[in-house]
Amino acid sequence: MTTANSLVSYGYEVLFTRTLEEAGHLLCTHRRISVLVIDTDLGQAGDSLSLAKSARVSDPDLKVIYTSRMPFRLKEAEKVDGAPCLGAPYRSHQLAGVISQLVRRTMAEEEVYAA
């Protein structure tokens, strides 16, 4: 929960879950979620990868960030496109930086499309 509290201090609105089931329910009921941070060490890694893929199918604009103690074990083919992986343990400012980069990248792409 420390990471969630830290992200709030950076100005982010955070919805926190402890299980993949809770996360799946939250993704179905809250359509305003713009970034999904998913711990691949939570439960079975395949389950978290599957959740991220199904969430991206439901919302193609959803940004996904994976966290893992062993990011080298995550196969690129199993991850969603453009999703970075942050090695754990990490500091909250590192996660906030990755979120900021994803959001800025999206804003820059939108500016290009608007031109």
Side-chain angles (χ1 to χ4, degrees):
M1 189 66 146
T2 303
T3 299
N5 291 335
S6 295
L7 289 175
V8 168
S9 74
Y10 284 103
Y12 294 107
E13 181 180 342
V14 178
L15 302 172
F16 178 79
T17 66
R18 293 191 183 277
T19 67
L20 292 173
E21 292 78 23
E22 288 176 11
H25 177 72
L26 193 67
L27 287 163
C28 290
T29 58
H30 287 76
R31 295 292 171 202
R32 291 187 21 210
I33 296 173
S34 56
V35 179
L36 170 64
V37 179
I38 192 156
D39 182 352
T40 61
D41 299 324
L42 184 64
Q44 297 291 327
D47 293 342
S48 57
L49 295 169
S50 178
L51 176 64
K53 280 190 173 191
S54 65
R56 177 66 73 79
V57 168
S58 296
D59 180 2
D61 294 326
L62 179 70
K63 308 299 177 264
V64 175
I65 300 170
Y66 297 104
T67 66
S68 177
R69 288 178 300 208
M70 293 183 256
F72 56 87
R73 287 194 173 172
L74 297 178
K75 297 176 182 153
E76 287 299 317
E78 295 176 354
K79 295 173 25 182
V80 297
D81 289 337
C85 184
L86 187 60
Y90 55 86
R91 299 198 184 267
S92 57
H93 73 274
Q94 293 170 304
L95 178 57
V98 173
I99 293 170
S100 178
Q101 287 176 349
L102 285 177
V103 171
R104 274 187 292 191
R105 183 181 342 156
T106 301
M107 290 172 60
E109 289 170 357
E110 289 173 358
E111 290 171 5
V112 169
Y113 291 128

